[in-house]
């Protein structure tokens, strides 16, 4: 049976990919952000998960408005990174784990989470940047796990509720634990925290709300399910709704967890950047 | 698509457009053009003939004018979604801070200062 080791969250801002490419790790603007990752690197080195479930939101590369799945799962041998319109060089494909993808699909649909399955899925910065942050050199890091991408819609309303996101995670956790292979899994929740790119309120950041979310997602995620979707837009910003990915990750970890490290920094690009590593108790 | 009397799924958040089904239908042609800017050949096609490219995607006059004016707030009110509009902005090498400044009447540096002031 597969074992869930823990979960890691991070913002997935496109500018981070650029900063990695230029190796701006000690640049005064970037250092407080990159300083959040050495403890994550150590944990990954100590634990070497076999599989990684990458929960992210597509931003208009893998999906368009012609067909917009609320929840989608990649079920492919590999996932291509592609030009998102800015002409940045694409990374090499990331290795998939279709047998795990289909097991998750079977288990979760049986549990009434009707996922859209994808045999071709181009992955954007929402998927790629966290991989680069956690496994430097990805996808060519020596300990690179095989990956299952799961994408939730935050492009277009109606988006899922926070309660649904947490329950999704619980069903995902159950699916992983029933995977008939003696393997270890880490779950990523990417995106957030507060930010708004569009409109006259562009640039909005909400430190107090982010701190509330960071504290509660560790110890009391159920509390966060009281937040309505419109309240999430109002308090986290229009794109801060990406916090749903964190809720999905958290649901899969269960009740018994330890916080290993946390980082929070304003601003990176237009965003309050947050990183959290939660380990499941043995 | 018209409003459904008696149903309101949203609250009013000043300076924020909820991109819902109504906006997604309104902006479909505009967003499709911008989505296709993922591919370099489409970015080149637009640059070579902006008017012809907009016609090809069936943009309405309001959307065309907002594209001609590089008017980000106008594009949003015409149904544009920021994730697709970012690809349009990418053609001109604009960062999200540039785009933020354009929407809030700030210079890019002023917009960056505003972001940092919230730390």
């Amino acid at each position: 049976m597969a074992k869930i080791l823990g979960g890691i969250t991070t913002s997935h801002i496109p500018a981070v990919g650029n900063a990695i490419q230029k190796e701006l790790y000690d640049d005064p603007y970037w250092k407080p952000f990159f300083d959040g990752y050495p403890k994550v690197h150590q944990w990954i080195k100590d634990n070497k998960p076999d599989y990684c479930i990458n929960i992210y939101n597509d931003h208009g590369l893998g999906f368009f408005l012609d067909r917009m799945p609320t929840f989608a799962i990649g079920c492919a041998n590999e996932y291509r990174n592609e030009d998102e319109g800015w002409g940045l060089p694409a990374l090499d494909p990331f290795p998939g784990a279709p047998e795990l993808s289909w097991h998750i699909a079977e288990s979760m649909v049986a549990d009434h989470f009707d996922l859209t399955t994808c045999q071709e899925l181009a992955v954007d910065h929402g998927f790629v940047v966290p991989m680069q942050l956690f496994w430097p050199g990805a996808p060519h890091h020596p300990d690179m796990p095989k990956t299952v991408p799961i994408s939730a819609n935050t492009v277009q309303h109606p988006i899922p509720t926070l309660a649904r996101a947490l329950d999704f995670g619980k069903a995902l956790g159950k699916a992983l634990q029933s995977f008939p292979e003696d393997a270890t899994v880490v779950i990523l929740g990417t995106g957030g925290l507060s930010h708004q790119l569009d409109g006259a309120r562009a640039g909005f950041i909400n430190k107090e709300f982010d701190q509330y979310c960071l504290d509660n997602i560790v110890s009391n995620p159920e509390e966060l399910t009281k937040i309505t979707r419109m309240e999430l837009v109002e308090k986290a910003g229009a794109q801060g709704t990406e916090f749903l990915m964190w809720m999905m990750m958290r649901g899969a970890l269960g009740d018994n967890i330890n916080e290993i490290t946390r980082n929070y920094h304003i601003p990176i690009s237009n965003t309050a950047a947050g990183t959290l590593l939660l380990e499941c108790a043995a | 698509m018209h409003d459904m009397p008696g149903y309101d799924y949203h609250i009013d958040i000043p300076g924020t457009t909820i991109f819902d089904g109504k906006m997604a239908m309104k902006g479909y042609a505009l967003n499709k053009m911008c989505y296709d800017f993922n591919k370099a050949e489409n970015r080149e096609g637009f640059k070579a003939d902006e008017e012809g490219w907009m016609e090809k995607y069936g943009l309405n006059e309001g959307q065309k004018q907002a594209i001609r004016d590089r008017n980000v707030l106008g594009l949003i009110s015409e149904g544009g979604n920021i994730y697709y509009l970012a690809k349009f902005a990418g053609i001109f090498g604009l960062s999200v801070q540039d785009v933020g400044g354009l929407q809030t009447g700030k210079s890019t540096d002023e917009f960056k200062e505003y972001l940092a002031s919230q730390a």
Side-chain angles (χ1 to χ4, degrees), chain A residues 189-268:
Chain A
T190 89
L193 289 162
S194 62
H195 65 299
Q196 178 155 337
L197 303 175
D198 53 332
R201 199 171 72 130
F204 172 80
I205 285 172
N206 189 342
K207 185 176 183 178
E208 191 183 340
F209 183 70
D210 287 340
Q211 299 291 356
Y212 173 79
C213 290
L214 278 164
D215 288 341
N216 278 287
I217 201 159
V218 177
S219 55
N220 191 13
E222 303 289 343
E223 175 72 17
L224 299 173
T225 64
K226 295 175 187 164
I227 300 168
T228 69
R229 289 166 293 172
M230 285 302 114
E231 197 181 351
L232 187 63
V233 173
E234 184 179 26
K235 292 184 174 167
Q239 284 72 41
T241 53
E242 292 173 339
F243 184 66
L244 288 171
M245 313 306 136
W246 294 46
M247 292 292 281
M248 291 162 71
M249 176 282 300
R250 181 63 186 87
L253 302 188
D255 295 331
N256 204 358
I257 55 147
N258 298 312
E259 179 177 334
I260 305 295
T261 187
R262 176 194 301 212
N263 193 40
Y264 182 76
H265 178 68
I266 297 172
I268 288 297

Side-chain angles (χ1 to χ4, degrees), chain A:
Chain A
M1 297 296 116
K3 179 172 186 272
I4 301 170
L5 297 173
I8 323 174
T9 65
T10 180
S11 306
H12 57 213
I13 307 148
V16 171
N18 193 43
I20 289 171
Q21 199 188 0
K22 292 181 179 162
E23 301 186 351
L24 300 177
Y25 309 117
D26 293 319
D27 178 274
Y29 179 89
W30 287 100
K31 193 172 185 328
F33 172 77
F34 284 115
D35 280 352
Y37 296 90
K39 280 189 182 168
V40 176
H41 296 156
Q42 188 60 48
W43 186 86
I44 285 174
K45 193 177 172 188
D46 292 344
N47 288 280
K48 293 188 176 49
D50 300 308
Y51 294 102
C52 159
I53 313 297
N54 186 324
I55 303 173
Y56 75 109
N57 55 293
D58 179 78
H59 307 74
L61 180 71
F63 302 110
F64 180 58
L65 302 172
D66 56 343
R67 305 161 203 147
M68 182 57 74
T70 298
F71 294 113
I73 182 167
C75 300
N77 286 310
E78 64 174 29
Y79 302 96
R80 283 171 291 110
N81 178 219
E82 289 180 1
D83 186 356
E84 295 181 54
W86 307 301
L88 290 178
L91 302 182
D92 286 340
F94 284 76
E99 63 291 342
L100 178 55
S101 294
W102 287 108
H103 171 79
I104 293 169
E106 290 281 356
S107 176
M108 291 193 69
V109 175
D111 277 338
H112 311 145
F113 283 88
D114 303 319
L115 290 160
T116 298
T117 55
C118 307
Q119 290 200 49
E120 284 191 55
L121 182 58
V123 289
D124 72 1
H125 64 270
F127 172 99
V128 164
V129 165
M131 299 298 232
Q132 292 178 283
L133 284 168
F134 299 151
W135 289 273
H140 300 299
H141 189 286
D143 298 328
M144 197 73 213
K146 290 193 229 175
T147 307
V148 176
I150 293 178
S151 180
N153 161 44
T154 55
V155 170
Q156 160 186 283
H157 290 267
I159 60 173
T161 64
L162 285 90
R164 185 66 170 164
L166 190 65
D167 285 347
F168 182 103
K170 291 175 187 173
L172 171 64
K174 184 181 160 195
L176 291 170
Q177 281 163 356
S178 68
F179 185 55
E181 185 183 313
D182 186 19
T184 55
V185 185
V186 64
I187 300 162
L188 312 187
T190 89
L193 289 162
S194 62
H195 65 299
Q196 178 155 337
L197 303 175
D198 53 332
R201 199 171 72 130
F204 172 80
I205 285 172
N206 189 342
K207 185 176 183 178
E208 191 183 340
F209 183 70
D210 287 340
Q211 299 291 356
Y212 173 79
C213 290
L214 278 164
D215 288 341
N216 278 287
I217 201 159
V218 177
S219 55
N220 191 13
E222 303 289 343
E223 175 72 17
L224 299 173
T225 64
K226 295 175 187 164
I227 300 168
T228 69
R229 289 166 293 172
M230 285 302 114
E231 197 181 351
L232 187 63
V233 173
E234 184 179 26
K235 292 184 174 167
Q239 284 72 41
T241 53
E242 292 173 339
F243 184 66
L244 288 171
M245 313 306 136
W246 294 46
M247 292 292 281
M248 291 162 71
M249 176 282 300
R250 181 63 186 87
L253 302 188
D255 295 331
N256 204 358
I257 55 147
N258 298 312
E259 179 177 334
I260 305 295
T261 187
R262 176 194 301 212
N263 193 40
Y264 182 76
H265 178 68
I266 297 172
I268 288 297
S269 190
N270 288 17
T271 305
T275 304
L276 196 58
L277 167 54
L278 303 175
E279 184 178 63
C280 296

Side-chain angles (χ1 to χ4, degrees), chain A residues 60 83 157 197 199 203 205 270, chain B residues 19 38 43 87 97 103 118:
Chain A
D83 186 356
H157 290 267
L197 303 175
I205 285 172
N270 288 17
Chain B
F19 187 81
N38 279 325
R43 301 196 290 272
K87 301 169 195 300
Q97 288 81 51
Q103 296 176 95
Q118 297 174 91

Side-chain angles (χ1 to χ4, degrees), chain B residues 16-32:
Chain B
T16 305
T17 301
I18 300 296
F19 187 81
D20 61 0
K22 188 175 154 187
M23 295 306 287
M25 291 189 79
K26 183 180 184 181
Y28 191 80
L30 169 63
N31 288 319
K32 188 170 173 62

